[in-house]
Amino acid sequence: MMTDPIADMLTRIRNAVHIERPFVDIPVSKVKIGIAEALQREGYIWDFEVIEQEPQGILRVNLKYGPNGERVIQKIDRVSKPGRRIYSGSENIPEVLQGLGVSIISTNQGVLSSREARAKHVGGEILCRIY
C-alpha cells in the first residue's frame, strides 16, 4: 500500500529525468492527471497520455529536454505531505526561485500552477515545487 501517491509520481519523474529517459509510466489518478496538465501548460513536459489497463490505468508522461539534451526539470519536490498539509491563500502563494519556477496547487477549480492560481485569485493546497 502506498501512503503518498503524489510523492511517488514526483520521484518517478525525478528519477527518469536524472537518467534522461524519454518518458515515464505512472499509475493513473485524477490528481496525477491534473498535475501532468499543469506541468504541460507551464512547459515542463511535452505531453502525456492515459493508457487503459486492468486493474489500473497508466499515465505516460513524455519528458522534455533542451536542444542539447539539457534538463528542463532541474528540481521537483513535494511541499504538502500527508502528515503536514500546507495551504495558502491566493495573496500568499510563495514564489519559486523569484518567479523562475512554479508551484502546483490543488484548488477548488482544479489543479493549477501558482501563476494560474494568482491570476484567478484562488488558493489551496501547495502540492509541489518545480524549477
Side-chain angles (χ1 to χ4, degrees):
M1 183 175 118
M2 192 179 323
T3 57
D4 192 1
I6 295 172
D8 177 64
M9 174 187 185
L10 301 178
T11 300
R12 287 178 190 232
I13 291 173
R14 187 181 316 114
N15 290 342
V17 166
H18 183 70
I19 61 172
E20 298 177 359
R21 298 267 319 248
F23 64 88
V24 62
D25 290 340
I26 303 164
V28 73
S29 74
K30 289 181 182 178
V31 173
K32 292 177 187 178
I33 291 173
I35 292 171
E37 288 172 345
L39 290 176
Q40 183 180 14
R41 285 191 305 267
E42 290 294 326
Y44 287 101
I45 62 173
W46 285 115
D47 62 351
F48 63 93
E49 62 181 320
V50 177
I51 302 169
E52 299 296 329
Q53 284 186 347
E54 289 295 328
Q56 184 176 10
I58 300 237
L59 176 67
R60 178 165 287 169
V61 177
N62 295 312
L63 302 171
K64 189 174 187 179
Y65 299 96
N68 297 324
E70 58 270 2
R71 298 175 181 143
V72 173
I73 298 174
Q74 297 294 319
K75 186 169 184 179
I76 185 168
D77 59 348
R78 186 86 154 103
V79 175
S80 182
K81 299 175 179 163
R84 182 170 184 230
R85 302 288 185 185
I86 308 292
Y87 296 94
S88 177
S90 63
E91 62 281 347
N92 298 326
I93 296 172
E95 285 191 356
V96 178
L97 282 183
Q98 297 158 349
L100 296 177
V102 295
S103 296
I104 305 297
I105 302 171
S106 176
T107 69
N108 59 357
Q109 297 183 10
V111 178
L112 303 173
S113 70
S114 55
R115 292 183 186 119
E116 295 167 335
R118 279 190 204 99
K120 292 184 177 184
H121 302 289
V122 294
E125 180 181 359
I126 302 173
L127 299 177
C128 66
R129 294 182 307 191
I130 184 167
Y131 56 89

